[in-house]
Amino acid sequence: MIDRATLAALDAADPLAGFRDRFTLPEGVIYLDGNSLGALPRATPARVAEVVAQEWGQSLIRAWNAHGWIDLGVRVGEKIGRLIGAAPGSTVVADSTSINLFKLLAAALTARPGRRTLLTETGNFPTDLYVADGLTRLLAQGHRVRAADNPVAALDGDVAVLMLTHVNYRSGAMHDMASVTRAAHAAGALVLWDLSHSAGAVPLTLAADGADFAVGCGYKFLNGGPGAPAFLSVAPALQADLRLPITGWLGHAAPFDFAPAYRPAPGVAAAVVGTPPVLSLAALEVGVDLMLDAPIAALREKSLRLGDTFLTLMADMPGFVPISPRDETRGSQVAFRHPDGYAIMQALIARGVIGDFRAPDILRFGLAPLYLRYVDVWDTVVTLREVMTTEVWRDARFQHRQAVT
Ligand SMILES: Cc1ncc(COP(=O)(O)O)c(C=O)c1O
């Protein structure tokens, strides 16, 4: 039997407990949405203020060199590369995840001429599907996007690239990167991993797993702030022949030569398109540095334990159907179906327990182990029980759907 005292004891013994103080969290709130917008690291406001007041304010345009702004995307990318187990020199920060998907999918299709299928998974995140669709329409070369329930079983000699989100945004189910990548390679296909719900949440070993391409968000578990720029990664073996569809001046070998013809920068730096968003990158770097301080094995262990605790406490809750794996194929979230999920989540949020809702009926709870405590899981389930027994969620103010939660 789990009780609150047992969970408080786990918190007291938690090797990650000190990390909570490195975040600003509002009083009285249990934050279970760090998989969507990570919390604010305490060091971020001062760092951003410093970049604004000192670097921008005092150094002005000299800051591009004096403060290394020009290489910021490469520098922070290199740090993210360490977090995701990518080879050195294969990861940069640039643009958004959607744009990076477009860039790397196009590169992948070009690298597999003669193959026409872009294979993905049913239920992949919409932007991944939309971007793939838009790209194939633009190319107008007979490519098609195919979404399969079991993408590994659907691999065949026509698949140019297999595009998968490593941890599913709804259920939290996680693919085995190594075995899926092996299967795709055996079929002659390249693999692109969307790590939006994985980076900073689960241990990743891209290089060891043979991953070809990867993209991911900076604003989720990396705590880079709203709209933080994204990262992308390209395996070293693919960099020399990388054919990118957006060839901007900052991906040029010598941008300040202002030459009329494009010549790609060596390596993954060619995937940087334009001027880096310096303020956002400064904030992202703080989040990434914080994450690099955290021992990933302890983080994973705690994340799984938080999820197990949540699923166990919810087991006798009528009407909630868990859709997250019970074992270690789960990422760092748990999710449940409930026909009144939207109103229930609104009622929870009104009581300071912030999770989110994903249509049509999914309540999703992100478990960010650096700032979530075991007792928070207990208190969440207690609050949910209250919401259900008082039926407060039936209140009209919780029924009306808003565009953004
Ligand atoms: C799996 C996945 N890919 C991509 C995105 C969004 O990317 P962007 O930052 O371009 O909006 C999200 C956003 O939640 C996501 O969950």
Side-chain angles (χ1 to χ4, degrees):
M1 258 317 276
I2 306 174
D3 57 21
R4 199 175 192 283
T6 316
L7 296 177
L10 285 180
D11 284 324
D14 177 8
L16 299 176
F19 280 91
R20 185 174 163 87
D21 274 347
R22 293 175 66 178
F23 291 89
T24 298
L25 294 161
E27 206 51 49
V29 160
I30 298 179
Y31 194 55
L32 297 154
D33 227 342
N35 56 332
S36 196
L37 174 63
L40 170 66
R42 254 187 221 287
T44 302
R47 175 62 188 141
V48 173
E50 182 185 21
V51 175
V52 171
Q54 298 303 318
E55 299 188 5
W56 179 14
Q58 298 303 312
S59 298
L60 292 165
I61 201 161
R62 295 168 293 184
W64 286 105
N65 294 318
H67 297 291
W69 286 359
I70 200 74
D71 299 319
L72 208 46
V74 172
R75 182 169 94 209
V76 181
E78 205 50 37
K79 292 182 177 184
I80 294 177
R82 278 161 51 200
L83 271 181
I84 63 176
S90 58
T91 309
V92 286
V93 174
D95 306 311
S96 66
T97 301
S98 302
I99 305 280
N100 289 335
L101 275 165
F102 180 86
K103 285 150 59 178
L104 295 189
L105 280 178
L109 294 182
T110 314
R112 286 290 180 274
R115 292 178 173 235
R116 293 277 175 267
T117 302
L118 196 165
L119 180 62
T120 187
E121 177 178 30
T122 321
N124 198 349
F125 189 77
T127 212
D128 302 55
L129 302 173
Y130 303 162
V131 166
D133 248 5
L135 174 64
T136 56
R137 264 184 279 114
L138 176 71
L139 290 174
Q141 289 172 14
H143 290 100
R144 63 177 184 138
V145 180
R146 194 169 143 216
D149 290 345
N150 181 348
V152 169
L155 284 162
D156 63 27
D158 193 53
V159 176
V161 57
L162 172 60
M163 170 186 72
L164 292 176
T165 295
H166 181 236
V167 172
N168 184 276
Y169 78 104
R170 282 199 182 103
S171 67
M174 182 167 68
H175 287 289
D176 176 357
M177 186 179 286
S179 69
V180 172
T181 303
R182 251 194 325 272
H185 287 172
L190 294 163
V191 188
L192 189 160
W193 292 101
D194 183 337
L195 303 178
S196 293
H197 294 272
S198 311
V202 297
L204 291 163
T205 48
L206 258 72
D209 293 347
D212 300 303
F213 300 109
V215 297
C217 298
Y219 47 78
K220 297 178 186 290
F221 287 101
L222 297 182
N223 306 306
F231 64 88
L232 67 85
S233 197
V234 178
L238 295 164
Q239 290 177 11
D241 292 322
L242 196 63
R243 293 285 172 270
L244 291 158
I246 312 179
T247 45
W249 76 301
L250 282 184
H252 191 280
F256 294 97
D257 284 358
F258 297 98
Y262 179 76
R263 193 159 50 86
V268 75
V272 174
V273 174
T275 307
V278 172
L279 302 182
S280 302
L281 266 161
L284 175 59
E285 187 168 29
V286 175
V288 170
D289 283 343
L290 203 165
M291 197 54 76
L292 280 169
D293 284 348
I296 188 73
L299 188 133
R300 175 66 173 153
E301 196 187 323
K302 182 176 175 190
S303 151
L304 282 173
R305 207 157 180 180
L306 288 165
D308 289 343
T309 305
F310 208 134
L311 290 166
T312 302
L313 292 175
M314 288 289 289
D316 63 349
M317 195 84 113
F320 290 85
V321 179
I323 58 163
S324 304
R326 284 270 356 184
D327 57 15
E328 69 282 0
T329 62
R330 187 176 67 239
S332 205
Q333 64 176 67
V334 290
F336 306 86
R337 286 190 189 283
H338 191 290
D340 296 299
Y342 179 81
I344 294 166
M345 184 53 80
Q346 294 311 303
L348 266 183
I349 292 171
R351 291 178 177 221
V353 177
I354 304 180
D356 67 20
F357 172 78
R358 286 293 174 265
D361 58 359
I362 294 170
L363 297 106
R364 191 177 73 157
F365 300 95
L367 308 169
L370 291 190
Y371 48 83
L372 197 70
R373 296 165 300 201
Y374 291 98
V375 290
D376 292 329
V377 172
W378 176 272
D379 295 342
T380 295
V381 178
V382 167
T383 308
L384 186 53
R385 248 179 237 288
E386 258 168 46
V387 162
M388 299 315 290
T389 49
T390 57
E391 300 205 347
V392 62
W393 60 271
R394 290 189 189 277
D395 191 304
R397 75 199 142 114
F398 299 134
Q399 305 286 330
H400 175 67
R401 286 207 188 179
Q402 290 161 356
V404 178
T405 51

